[in-house]
Amino acid sequence: MSNSISITDKQLLAKILFTREHLDQKVVAKKVGVSENTMSKWVNEFNWKNLRRRLLLTKEEQLAVLYE
């Protein structure tokens, strides 16, 4: 991936690849051109693991969680 992409764009792409495409952090880091440490920082700082999990739930499952 080109280094001319802004860090904000890299972060957005990384978020999509990690949360929606379910790629490993190492793979995403390499694809977007950031270090594994940066990727790990983003996953933890922005709670992407939780977001990734929530995207797997159906609407009915999400409602059931809310009602609990």
Side-chain angles (χ1 to χ4, degrees):
M1 189 140 288
S2 172
N3 287 335
S4 63
I5 297 175
S6 75
I7 194 71
T8 304
D9 289 340
K10 286 182 179 186
Q11 191 178 66
L12 178 60
L13 180 57
K15 180 180 180 181
I16 291 168
L17 292 173
F18 181 77
T19 60
R20 294 185 184 173
E21 301 298 320
H22 303 280
L23 296 178
D24 266 1
Q25 288 185 37
K26 287 182 180 186
V27 173
V28 174
K30 189 171 184 170
K31 282 187 176 278
V32 300
V34 297
S35 71
E36 290 178 28
N37 286 341
T38 297
M39 183 63 194
S40 181
K41 178 183 158 200
W42 289 345
V43 168
N44 293 323
E45 185 177 332
F46 301 112
N47 207 11
W48 288 355
K49 284 184 182 177
N50 192 30
L51 177 60
R52 184 184 208 179
R53 221 176 359 262
R54 285 196 323 247
L55 289 173
L56 291 175
L57 297 177
T58 65
K59 187 183 285 186
E60 290 79 16
E61 290 171 324
Q62 290 175 0
L63 286 172
V65 168
L66 285 173
Y67 286 127
E68 288 176 3

